mmCIF file of all heavy atoms in Angstrom:
data_model
loop_
_atom_site.group_PDB
_atom_site.id
_atom_site.type_symbol
_atom_site.label_atom_id
_atom_site.label_comp_id
_atom_site.label_asym_id
_atom_site.label_seq_id
_atom_site.Cartn_x
_atom_site.Cartn_y
_atom_site.Cartn_z
ATOM 1 N N HIS L 1 0.796 -1.228 0.000
ATOM 2 C CA HIS L 1 0.000 0.000 0.000
ATOM 3 C C HIS L 1 0.831 1.282 0.000
ATOM 4 O O HIS L 1 0.300 2.346 -0.307
ATOM 5 C CB HIS L 1 -0.938 0.008 1.216
ATOM 6 C CG HIS L 1 -2.155 -0.856 1.039
ATOM 7 N ND1 HIS L 1 -2.100 -2.225 1.076
ATOM 8 C CD2 HIS L 1 -3.457 -0.523 0.812
ATOM 9 C CE1 HIS L 1 -3.321 -2.715 0.898
ATOM 10 N NE2 HIS L 1 -4.154 -1.713 0.734
ATOM 11 N N LYS L 2 2.102 1.184 0.332
ATOM 12 C CA LYS L 2 2.960 2.367 0.297
ATOM 13 C C LYS L 2 3.842 2.389 -0.953
ATOM 14 O O LYS L 2 4.698 3.267 -1.090
ATOM 15 C CB LYS L 2 3.842 2.427 1.550
ATOM 16 C CG LYS L 2 3.063 2.576 2.847
ATOM 17 C CD LYS L 2 4.001 2.568 4.045
ATOM 18 C CE LYS L 2 3.226 2.596 5.359
ATOM 19 N NZ LYS L 2 4.120 2.510 6.543
ATOM 20 N N SER L 3 3.597 1.431 -1.840
ATOM 21 C CA SER L 3 4.408 1.312 -3.049
ATOM 22 C C SER L 3 3.600 1.721 -4.271
ATOM 23 O O SER L 3 2.367 1.797 -4.232
ATOM 24 C CB SER L 3 4.900 -0.130 -3.220
ATOM 25 O OG SER L 3 5.642 -0.549 -2.092
ATOM 26 N N ILE L 4 4.296 1.960 -5.367
ATOM 27 C CA ILE L 4 3.686 2.358 -6.627
ATOM 28 C C ILE L 4 3.973 1.291 -7.675
ATOM 29 O O ILE L 4 5.084 0.739 -7.739
ATOM 30 C CB ILE L 4 4.226 3.727 -7.086
ATOM 31 C CG1 ILE L 4 3.651 4.830 -6.187
ATOM 32 C CG2 ILE L 4 3.881 4.007 -8.543
ATOM 33 C CD1 ILE L 4 4.217 6.209 -6.468
ATOM 34 N N HIS L 5 2.962 0.993 -8.480
ATOM 35 C CA HIS L 5 3.138 0.050 -9.582
ATOM 36 C C HIS L 5 4.290 0.551 -10.457
ATOM 37 O O HIS L 5 4.257 1.678 -10.968
ATOM 38 C CB HIS L 5 1.850 -0.032 -10.396
ATOM 39 C CG HIS L 5 1.802 -1.180 -11.352
ATOM 40 N ND1 HIS L 5 2.658 -1.294 -12.425
ATOM 41 C CD2 HIS L 5 1.005 -2.268 -11.397
ATOM 42 C CE1 HIS L 5 2.382 -2.398 -13.095
ATOM 43 N NE2 HIS L 5 1.367 -3.013 -12.486
ATOM 44 N N PRO L 6 5.334 -0.251 -10.640
ATOM 45 C CA PRO L 6 6.541 0.245 -11.325
ATOM 46 C C PRO L 6 6.293 0.722 -12.747
ATOM 47 O O PRO L 6 7.027 1.595 -13.238
ATOM 48 C CB PRO L 6 7.489 -0.962 -11.290
ATOM 49 C CG PRO L 6 6.616 -2.145 -11.018
ATOM 50 C CD PRO L 6 5.485 -1.653 -10.192
ATOM 51 N N GLU L 7 5.275 0.180 -13.423
ATOM 52 C CA GLU L 7 5.019 0.627 -14.794
ATOM 53 C C GLU L 7 4.404 2.021 -14.842
ATOM 54 O O GLU L 7 4.412 2.670 -15.893
ATOM 55 C CB GLU L 7 4.123 -0.371 -15.523
ATOM 56 C CG GLU L 7 4.802 -1.702 -15.818
ATOM 57 C CD GLU L 7 3.947 -2.602 -16.682
ATOM 58 O OE1 GLU L 7 3.974 -2.445 -17.919
ATOM 59 O OE2 GLU L 7 3.236 -3.461 -16.115
ATOM 60 N N LEU L 8 3.877 2.484 -13.715
ATOM 61 C CA LEU L 8 3.358 3.854 -13.660
ATOM 62 C C LEU L 8 4.464 4.867 -13.448
ATOM 63 O O LEU L 8 4.366 6.021 -13.887
ATOM 64 C CB LEU L 8 2.322 3.984 -12.534
ATOM 65 C CG LEU L 8 0.977 3.308 -12.746
ATOM 66 C CD1 LEU L 8 0.141 3.387 -11.465
ATOM 67 C CD2 LEU L 8 0.217 3.959 -13.901
ATOM 68 N N GLY L 9 5.511 4.459 -12.752
ATOM 69 C CA GLY L 9 6.607 5.370 -12.459
ATOM 70 C C GLY L 9 7.079 5.209 -11.040
ATOM 71 O O GLY L 9 6.809 4.206 -10.375
ATOM 72 N N THR L 10 7.734 6.212 -10.543
ATOM 73 C CA THR L 10 8.291 6.196 -9.193
ATOM 74 C C THR L 10 7.498 7.138 -8.287
ATOM 75 O O THR L 10 6.651 7.902 -8.745
ATOM 76 C CB THR L 10 9.752 6.645 -9.218
ATOM 77 O OG1 THR L 10 9.798 8.027 -9.647
ATOM 78 C CG2 THR L 10 10.567 5.790 -10.183
ATOM 79 N N GLU L 11 7.813 7.076 -7.009
ATOM 80 C CA GLU L 11 7.174 8.000 -6.078
ATOM 81 C C GLU L 11 7.543 9.442 -6.424
ATOM 82 O O GLU L 11 6.719 10.353 -6.295
ATOM 83 C CB GLU L 11 7.588 7.669 -4.640
ATOM 84 C CG GLU L 11 6.845 8.479 -3.596
ATOM 85 C CD GLU L 11 7.129 8.021 -2.189
ATOM 86 O OE1 GLU L 11 6.679 6.911 -1.825
ATOM 87 O OE2 GLU L 11 7.811 8.775 -1.449
ATOM 88 N N LYS L 12 8.760 9.638 -6.878
ATOM 89 C CA LYS L 12 9.177 10.971 -7.313
ATOM 90 C C LYS L 12 8.313 11.443 -8.480
ATOM 91 O O LYS L 12 7.894 12.605 -8.534
ATOM 92 C CB LYS L 12 10.652 10.956 -7.706
ATOM 93 C CG LYS L 12 11.195 12.309 -8.155
ATOM 94 C CD LYS L 12 12.672 12.222 -8.523
ATOM 95 C CE LYS L 12 13.196 13.580 -9.007
ATOM 96 N NZ LYS L 12 14.637 13.497 -9.387
ATOM 97 N N ASP L 13 8.037 10.540 -9.424
ATOM 98 C CA ASP L 13 7.175 10.883 -10.561
ATOM 99 C C ASP L 13 5.779 11.258 -10.084
ATOM 100 O O ASP L 13 5.159 12.191 -10.602
ATOM 101 C CB ASP L 13 7.080 9.709 -11.533
ATOM 102 C CG ASP L 13 8.402 9.387 -12.205
ATOM 103 O OD1 ASP L 13 9.231 10.311 -12.366
ATOM 104 O OD2 ASP L 13 8.609 8.208 -12.558
ATOM 105 N N PHE L 14 5.304 10.503 -9.093
ATOM 106 C CA PHE L 14 3.957 10.786 -8.573
ATOM 107 C C PHE L 14 3.909 12.158 -7.916
ATOM 108 O O PHE L 14 2.967 12.940 -8.141
ATOM 109 C CB PHE L 14 3.545 9.705 -7.577
ATOM 110 C CG PHE L 14 2.194 9.946 -6.967
ATOM 111 C CD1 PHE L 14 1.036 9.769 -7.707
ATOM 112 C CD2 PHE L 14 2.076 10.376 -5.651
ATOM 113 C CE1 PHE L 14 -0.216 10.010 -7.149
ATOM 114 C CE2 PHE L 14 0.840 10.621 -5.083
ATOM 115 C CZ PHE L 14 -0.312 10.432 -5.830
ATOM 116 N N LYS L 15 4.892 12.463 -7.103
ATOM 117 C CA LYS L 15 4.935 13.773 -6.452
ATOM 118 C C LYS L 15 4.997 14.896 -7.485
ATOM 119 O O LYS L 15 4.381 15.955 -7.307
ATOM 120 C CB LYS L 15 6.136 13.855 -5.507
ATOM 121 C CG LYS L 15 6.024 12.973 -4.272
ATOM 122 C CD LYS L 15 7.272 13.107 -3.402
ATOM 123 C CE LYS L 15 7.176 12.249 -2.154
ATOM 124 N NZ LYS L 15 8.401 12.356 -1.310
ATOM 125 N N GLN L 16 5.733 14.664 -8.554
ATOM 126 C CA GLN L 16 5.826 15.657 -9.623
ATOM 127 C C GLN L 16 4.462 15.854 -10.292
ATOM 128 O O GLN L 16 4.067 16.979 -10.613
ATOM 129 C CB GLN L 16 6.865 15.224 -10.657
ATOM 130 C CG GLN L 16 7.086 16.212 -11.793
ATOM 131 C CD GLN L 16 7.738 17.513 -11.339
ATOM 132 O OE1 GLN L 16 8.313 17.581 -10.253
ATOM 133 N NE2 GLN L 16 7.634 18.548 -12.158
ATOM 134 N N LEU L 17 3.740 14.763 -10.485
ATOM 135 C CA LEU L 17 2.401 14.849 -11.059
ATOM 136 C C LEU L 17 1.467 15.645 -10.155
ATOM 137 O O LEU L 17 0.714 16.508 -10.621
ATOM 138 C CB LEU L 17 1.840 13.440 -11.277
ATOM 139 C CG LEU L 17 0.363 13.347 -11.690
ATOM 140 C CD1 LEU L 17 0.133 14.010 -13.041
ATOM 141 C CD2 LEU L 17 -0.080 11.879 -11.720
ATOM 142 N N VAL L 18 1.525 15.375 -8.860
ATOM 143 C CA VAL L 18 0.694 16.111 -7.902
ATOM 144 C C VAL L 18 1.014 17.599 -7.961
ATOM 145 O O VAL L 18 0.105 18.447 -7.949
ATOM 146 C CB VAL L 18 0.902 15.551 -6.473
ATOM 147 C CG1 VAL L 18 0.220 16.446 -5.441
ATOM 148 C CG2 VAL L 18 0.371 14.126 -6.380
ATOM 149 N N LYS L 19 2.281 17.915 -8.029
ATOM 150 C CA LYS L 19 2.712 19.314 -8.080
ATOM 151 C C LYS L 19 2.221 19.995 -9.354
ATOM 152 O O LYS L 19 1.700 21.128 -9.310
ATOM 153 C CB LYS L 19 4.240 19.379 -7.990
ATOM 154 C CG LYS L 19 4.808 20.785 -7.983
ATOM 155 C CD LYS L 19 6.331 20.754 -7.853
ATOM 156 C CE LYS L 19 6.921 22.158 -7.847
ATOM 157 N NZ LYS L 19 8.406 22.122 -7.727
ATOM 158 N N LYS L 20 2.367 19.324 -10.495
ATOM 159 C CA LYS L 20 1.930 19.924 -11.759
ATOM 160 C C LYS L 20 0.411 20.044 -11.818
ATOM 161 O O LYS L 20 -0.117 20.990 -12.418
ATOM 162 C CB LYS L 20 2.464 19.102 -12.932
ATOM 163 C CG LYS L 20 3.969 19.243 -13.121
ATOM 164 C CD LYS L 20 4.437 18.666 -14.446
ATOM 165 C CE LYS L 20 5.925 18.952 -14.662
ATOM 166 N NZ LYS L 20 6.404 18.447 -15.974
ATOM 167 N N ALA L 21 -0.279 19.104 -11.218
ATOM 168 C CA ALA L 21 -1.737 19.188 -11.173
ATOM 169 C C ALA L 21 -2.178 20.419 -10.380
ATOM 170 O O ALA L 21 -3.089 21.150 -10.804
ATOM 171 C CB ALA L 21 -2.316 17.918 -10.554
ATOM 172 N N LYS L 22 -1.534 20.669 -9.266
ATOM 173 C CA LYS L 22 -1.881 21.833 -8.461
ATOM 174 C C LYS L 22 -1.655 23.124 -9.229
ATOM 175 O O LYS L 22 -2.413 24.091 -9.076
ATOM 176 C CB LYS L 22 -1.087 21.829 -7.152
ATOM 177 C CG LYS L 22 -1.558 20.775 -6.163
ATOM 178 C CD LYS L 22 -0.791 20.838 -4.844
ATOM 179 C CE LYS L 22 -1.331 19.800 -3.871
ATOM 180 N NZ LYS L 22 -0.582 19.818 -2.568
ATOM 181 N N ALA L 23 -0.623 23.130 -10.064
ATOM 182 C CA ALA L 23 -0.364 24.317 -10.885
ATOM 183 C C ALA L 23 -1.483 24.557 -11.885
ATOM 184 O O ALA L 23 -1.702 25.682 -12.334
ATOM 185 C CB ALA L 23 0.971 24.158 -11.613
ATOM 186 N N GLU L 24 -2.229 23.499 -12.215
ATOM 187 C CA GLU L 24 -3.371 23.613 -13.126
ATOM 188 C C GLU L 24 -4.683 23.823 -12.367
ATOM 189 O O GLU L 24 -5.755 23.846 -12.967
ATOM 190 C CB GLU L 24 -3.487 22.343 -13.975
ATOM 191 C CG GLU L 24 -2.340 22.105 -14.928
ATOM 192 C CD GLU L 24 -2.451 22.922 -16.214
ATOM 193 O OE1 GLU L 24 -3.446 23.661 -16.361
ATOM 194 O OE2 GLU L 24 -1.550 22.821 -17.056
ATOM 195 N N GLY L 25 -4.605 23.968 -11.034
ATOM 196 C CA GLY L 25 -5.816 24.124 -10.235
ATOM 197 C C GLY L 25 -6.514 22.819 -9.943
ATOM 198 O O GLY L 25 -7.725 22.797 -9.657
ATOM 199 N N ILE L 26 -5.772 21.718 -9.994
ATOM 200 C CA ILE L 26 -6.345 20.385 -9.801
ATOM 201 C C ILE L 26 -5.675 19.703 -8.615
ATOM 202 O O ILE L 26 -4.451 19.746 -8.471
ATOM 203 C CB ILE L 26 -6.142 19.522 -11.062
ATOM 204 C CG1 ILE L 26 -6.868 20.131 -12.263
ATOM 205 C CG2 ILE L 26 -6.609 18.089 -10.836
ATOM 206 C CD1 ILE L 26 -6.524 19.457 -13.582
ATOM 207 N N GLU L 27 -6.453 19.062 -7.775
ATOM 208 C CA GLU L 27 -5.921 18.226 -6.710
ATOM 209 C C GLU L 27 -6.051 16.764 -7.122
ATOM 210 O O GLU L 27 -7.081 16.357 -7.679
ATOM 211 C CB GLU L 27 -6.665 18.460 -5.400
ATOM 212 C CG GLU L 27 -6.425 19.824 -4.787
ATOM 213 C CD GLU L 27 -7.040 19.948 -3.405
ATOM 214 O OE1 GLU L 27 -6.714 19.120 -2.535
ATOM 215 O OE2 GLU L 27 -7.862 20.862 -3.217
ATOM 216 N N VAL L 28 -5.024 15.988 -6.849
ATOM 217 C CA VAL L 28 -5.057 14.561 -7.145
ATOM 218 C C VAL L 28 -5.647 13.828 -5.942
ATOM 219 O O VAL L 28 -5.142 13.956 -4.818
ATOM 220 C CB VAL L 28 -3.657 14.028 -7.472
ATOM 221 C CG1 VAL L 28 -3.681 12.506 -7.610
ATOM 222 C CG2 VAL L 28 -3.137 14.660 -8.757
ATOM 223 N N ALA L 29 -6.711 13.088 -6.190
ATOM 224 C CA ALA L 29 -7.341 12.279 -5.149
ATOM 225 C C ALA L 29 -6.900 10.831 -5.318
ATOM 226 O O ALA L 29 -6.918 10.292 -6.430
ATOM 227 C CB ALA L 29 -8.856 12.387 -5.235
ATOM 228 N N MET L 30 -6.520 10.207 -4.221
ATOM 229 C CA MET L 30 -6.072 8.810 -4.247
ATOM 230 C C MET L 30 -7.144 7.894 -3.715
ATOM 231 O O MET L 30 -8.032 8.302 -2.969
ATOM 232 C CB MET L 30 -4.809 8.641 -3.409
ATOM 233 C CG MET L 30 -3.532 8.859 -4.171
ATOM 234 S SD MET L 30 -2.121 8.266 -3.211
ATOM 235 C CE MET L 30 -2.478 6.511 -3.087
ATOM 236 N N ASP L 31 -7.043 6.649 -4.086
ATOM 237 C CA ASP L 31 -7.955 5.624 -3.599
ATOM 238 C C ASP L 31 -7.354 4.962 -2.362
ATOM 239 O O ASP L 31 -6.206 4.521 -2.384
ATOM 240 C CB ASP L 31 -8.189 4.584 -4.692
ATOM 241 C CG ASP L 31 -9.437 3.751 -4.457
ATOM 242 O OD1 ASP L 31 -9.469 3.029 -3.444
ATOM 243 O OD2 ASP L 31 -10.363 3.831 -5.269
ATOM 244 N N LEU L 32 -8.133 4.932 -1.296
ATOM 245 C CA LEU L 32 -7.765 4.150 -0.122
ATOM 246 C C LEU L 32 -8.574 2.864 -0.170
ATOM 247 O O LEU L 32 -9.790 2.869 0.065
ATOM 248 C CB LEU L 32 -8.081 4.901 1.170
ATOM 249 C CG LEU L 32 -7.083 5.915 1.710
ATOM 250 C CD1 LEU L 32 -7.535 6.412 3.071
ATOM 251 C CD2 LEU L 32 -5.677 5.342 1.799
ATOM 252 N N ALA L 33 -7.921 1.781 -0.521
ATOM 253 C CA ALA L 33 -8.580 0.479 -0.587
ATOM 254 C C ALA L 33 -7.890 -0.432 0.415
ATOM 255 O O ALA L 33 -6.824 -0.991 0.118
ATOM 256 C CB ALA L 33 -8.511 -0.088 -1.997
ATOM 257 N N PHE L 34 -8.473 -0.562 1.585
ATOM 258 C CA PHE L 34 -7.835 -1.332 2.648
ATOM 259 C C PHE L 34 -8.224 -2.801 2.528
ATOM 260 O O PHE L 34 -9.114 -3.309 3.223
ATOM 261 C CB PHE L 34 -8.208 -0.755 4.014
ATOM 262 C CG PHE L 34 -7.522 0.552 4.310
ATOM 263 C CD1 PHE L 34 -8.067 1.455 5.200
ATOM 264 C CD2 PHE L 34 -6.317 0.881 3.701
ATOM 265 C CE1 PHE L 34 -7.438 2.659 5.483
ATOM 266 C CE2 PHE L 34 -5.673 2.083 3.973
ATOM 267 C CZ PHE L 34 -6.232 2.969 4.870
ATOM 268 N N GLN L 35 -7.519 -3.451 1.600
ATOM 269 C CA GLN L 35 -7.661 -4.875 1.341
ATOM 270 C C GLN L 35 -6.362 -5.311 0.678
ATOM 271 O O GLN L 35 -5.531 -4.474 0.333
ATOM 272 C CB GLN L 35 -8.849 -5.128 0.412
ATOM 273 C CG GLN L 35 -8.731 -4.389 -0.913
ATOM 274 C CD GLN L 35 -10.063 -4.049 -1.532
ATOM 275 O OE1 GLN L 35 -11.066 -3.903 -0.857
ATOM 276 N NE2 GLN L 35 -10.074 -3.933 -2.858
ATOM 277 N N ALA L 36 -6.178 -6.584 0.483
ATOM 278 C CA ALA L 36 -4.886 -7.062 -0.016
ATOM 279 C C ALA L 36 -5.072 -8.175 -1.035
ATOM 280 O O ALA L 36 -6.047 -8.934 -0.986
ATOM 281 C CB ALA L 36 -4.028 -7.562 1.144
ATOM 282 N N ALA L 37 -4.148 -8.251 -1.955
ATOM 283 C CA ALA L 37 -4.067 -9.402 -2.846
ATOM 284 C C ALA L 37 -3.461 -10.572 -2.066
ATOM 285 O O ALA L 37 -2.786 -10.375 -1.051
ATOM 286 C CB ALA L 37 -3.204 -9.070 -4.064
#
């Protein structure tokens, strides 16, 4: 749950996406799914 699917990118990439979204007036909402494979 604290990891990112590697094909999507890295945590650094995700933080960069969040930052760029905010610059566009957009907040990134995440899914909290408390279950496990």
Side-chain angles (χ1 to χ4, degrees):
H1 282 73
K2 297 178 185 177
S3 302
I4 288 175
H5 193 295
E7 291 187 84
L8 289 173
T10 65
E11 187 173 290
K12 181 180 179 181
D13 294 332
F14 178 73
K15 291 179 179 179
Q16 182 68 17
L17 172 63
V18 171
K19 182 178 180 180
K20 289 192 174 182
K22 287 183 178 179
E24 295 279 359
I26 298 171
E27 291 187 56
V28 173
M30 271 193 63
D31 199 297
L32 276 186
F34 287 155
Q35 58 208 26

